Amino acid sequence: MFTGCVEFDLLLPDDSRSLKAKRSYVRPIVAALRKFDVAVSEVGDQELHGRSTIGVAAVAGDNLHVQEILNACEQHVSGRPEVELLSARRRLFGPEDE
């Protein structure tokens, strides 16, 4: 079994200066990422209005499939015109990692 996770550091538009406005940007991204059959949640920067950190985790039988899933998620987030992807940090784990 192989697992992988990625954290997306996002810069939100200037009009996301309230938590309600911030949620209007974050929720559609989280919902869209769930279509990749991954676990996804806002995992950081909840107190900052113009930023968000979204975490994604995937599990598969081989390392290549995990990487393909995470690549697809990263392409989706980076292709969203309403937010700016500042960074994507990945970690991959396999049977030899303990």
Side-chain angles (χ1 to χ4, degrees):
M1 176 177 74
F2 292 86
T3 60
C5 59
V6 61
E7 284 184 351
F8 300 116
D9 185 10
L10 302 176
L11 181 63
L12 304 176
D14 288 336
D15 66 348
S16 64
R17 296 296 171 207
S18 71
L19 292 178
K20 184 176 181 180
K22 179 180 179 176
R23 281 194 307 270
S24 73
Y25 289 103
V26 173
R27 280 187 178 173
I29 295 170
V30 169
L33 288 171
R34 285 197 173 115
K35 294 177 183 175
F36 292 98
D37 290 328
V38 296
V40 58
S41 179
E42 184 178 17
V43 295
D45 295 326
Q46 285 98 340
E47 70 284 353
L48 298 176
H49 296 292
R51 297 284 292 273
S52 180
T53 301
I54 295 177
V56 175
V59 178
D62 63 78
N63 188 25
L64 181 61
H65 190 215
V66 170
Q67 290 186 44
E68 288 172 349
I69 293 168
L70 297 180
N71 286 341
C73 290
E74 186 172 347
Q75 284 180 323
H76 178 78
V77 172
S78 67
R80 299 203 56 121
E82 70 273 18
V83 298
E84 181 180 347
L85 178 60
L86 299 176
S87 69
R89 295 175 299 280
R90 285 189 190 202
R91 293 183 60 177
L92 298 171
F93 304 95
E96 67 280 352
D97 297 319
E98 294 204 25

